[in-house]
Amino acid sequence: DDDVLARDDDGGWAPVKRRDAAATTREGAAATMFERAPLAPVVLVLVGPSGAGKSTFSARLPRERWTTANQDTVSNGKRGTRQQCVRVAKRALEEGKHVVIDRCGLSRQQRADFVALAREARPPCELRAVWFNQPVSVYQQRVRMRTNHPGGVQGESSVRVVQLQMRGKDNAPPTKEEGFRIVRRCRFQDDVDAACAAFCALPAAETAVEFPKKSKPERTLDSVREPSVVEDAVADAAT
């Protein structure tokens, strides 16, 4: 199976063979992931359940070029909402920084706000995804051994949380049809390390972006409740 999809010369999509992880260098990984340095910032959406290693991945990215939107800590170090993550991401993009979305993102609906954000930007942002696709038992063992996790997803009781996340009826891997220019599938830790090296090597964006002004919708009774908050409590417990 090919792990990377990229644009071909005709503007279509074609698989790109992943080189042996042992031979992958930082520069080589960057060349595989990026045909050129993007002019606009990258929106990198991480996809995987609790325990996948998304926050560890995010923490390795250079802070001078990357901003993390982590739902477990987005509200002054405490768990927040999806829309708070959107606001953090938008502000960073306007400053010309790349953004990594540290949420589970297991379904298209969970990723939709961030896909839309990348598309709405002017110029449009580069939309990428890293899909953590290791065995569920690996993730369960990680949350079992956790301590002091900001989202509280730790210990034996959280093993079932991972199970429920992975059984979501709407779960779907990220695809080019959603708008992702490249999807990196990580089935082994070597895959994760190679993907992280590529994004660490990504140069700074050459320009900041702007977003079209939107008129405020009328406030109705239906608009008071934010459905994603309830859904996110289990489905989007960050890594």
Side-chain angles (χ1 to χ4, degrees), residues 219-227:
R219 187 175 178 84
T220 65
L221 289 177
D222 290 337
S223 68
V224 173
R225 177 180 174 272
E226 182 182 339

Short mmCIF file of all heavy atoms in Angstrom, two decimals, residues 219-227:
data_model
loop_
_atom_site.label_atom_id
_atom_site.label_comp_id
_atom_site.label_asym_id
_atom_site.label_seq_id
_atom_site.Cartn_x
_atom_site.Cartn_y
_atom_site.Cartn_z
N ARG A 219 -28.98 35.68 15.88
CA ARG A 219 -28.94 34.75 17.01
C ARG A 219 -30.34 34.18 17.24
O ARG A 219 -31.29 34.90 17.47
CB ARG A 219 -28.46 35.47 18.27
CG ARG A 219 -28.23 34.55 19.46
CD ARG A 219 -27.63 35.35 20.61
NE ARG A 219 -27.45 34.53 21.80
CZ ARG A 219 -26.41 33.76 22.02
NH1 ARG A 219 -25.47 33.66 21.11
NH2 ARG A 219 -26.31 33.07 23.15
N THR A 220 -30.44 32.86 17.17
CA THR A 220 -31.71 32.17 17.39
C THR A 220 -31.54 31.19 18.53
O THR A 220 -30.43 30.94 19.01
CB THR A 220 -32.15 31.41 16.13
OG1 THR A 220 -31.19 30.36 15.88
CG2 THR A 220 -32.21 32.34 14.92
N LEU A 221 -32.64 30.60 18.95
CA LEU A 221 -32.56 29.61 20.02
C LEU A 221 -31.72 28.42 19.60
O LEU A 221 -31.00 27.84 20.40
CB LEU A 221 -33.99 29.15 20.40
CG LEU A 221 -34.85 30.19 21.13
CD1 LEU A 221 -36.24 29.62 21.38
CD2 LEU A 221 -34.21 30.60 22.46
N ASP A 222 -31.81 28.04 18.31
CA ASP A 222 -31.04 26.90 17.82
C ASP A 222 -29.55 27.19 17.81
O ASP A 222 -28.74 26.28 17.90
CB ASP A 222 -31.49 26.51 16.41
CG ASP A 222 -32.88 25.91 16.41
OD1 ASP A 222 -33.29 25.40 17.48
OD2 ASP A 222 -33.55 25.94 15.36
N SER A 223 -29.18 28.46 17.67
CA SER A 223 -27.77 28.79 17.56
C SER A 223 -27.07 28.89 18.91
O SER A 223 -25.86 28.98 18.98
CB SER A 223 -27.57 30.11 16.81
OG SER A 223 -28.06 31.19 17.59
N VAL A 224 -27.83 28.87 20.00
CA VAL A 224 -27.24 29.01 21.32
C VAL A 224 -26.42 27.78 21.67
O VAL A 224 -25.35 27.85 22.23
CB VAL A 224 -28.33 29.24 22.39
CG1 VAL A 224 -27.71 29.21 23.79
CG2 VAL A 224 -29.03 30.56 22.12
N ARG A 225 -26.92 26.62 21.33
CA ARG A 225 -26.23 25.37 21.66
C ARG A 225 -25.17 25.07 20.61
O ARG A 225 -25.41 25.21 19.42
CB ARG A 225 -27.24 24.22 21.72
CG ARG A 225 -26.60 22.85 21.98
CD ARG A 225 -27.66 21.77 22.02
NE ARG A 225 -27.08 20.45 22.13
CZ ARG A 225 -26.72 19.72 21.08
NH1 ARG A 225 -26.88 20.22 19.87
NH2 ARG A 225 -26.21 18.53 21.24
N GLU A 226 -24.01 24.63 21.04
CA GLU A 226 -22.94 24.25 20.12
C GLU A 226 -22.83 22.72 20.13
O GLU A 226 -22.30 22.12 21.06
CB GLU A 226 -21.60 24.86 20.55
CG GLU A 226 -20.48 24.53 19.59
CD GLU A 226 -19.15 25.10 20.07
OE1 GLU A 226 -19.16 26.03 20.87
OE2 GLU A 226 -18.12 24.58 19.61
N PRO A 227 -23.34 22.05 19.10
CA PRO A 227 -23.38 20.59 19.10
C PRO A 227 -22.02 19.95 19.28
O PRO A 227 -21.89 18.91 19.90
CB PRO A 227 -23.96 20.26 17.72
CG PRO A 227 -24.65 21.50 17.28
CD PRO A 227 -23.90 22.62 17.88
#
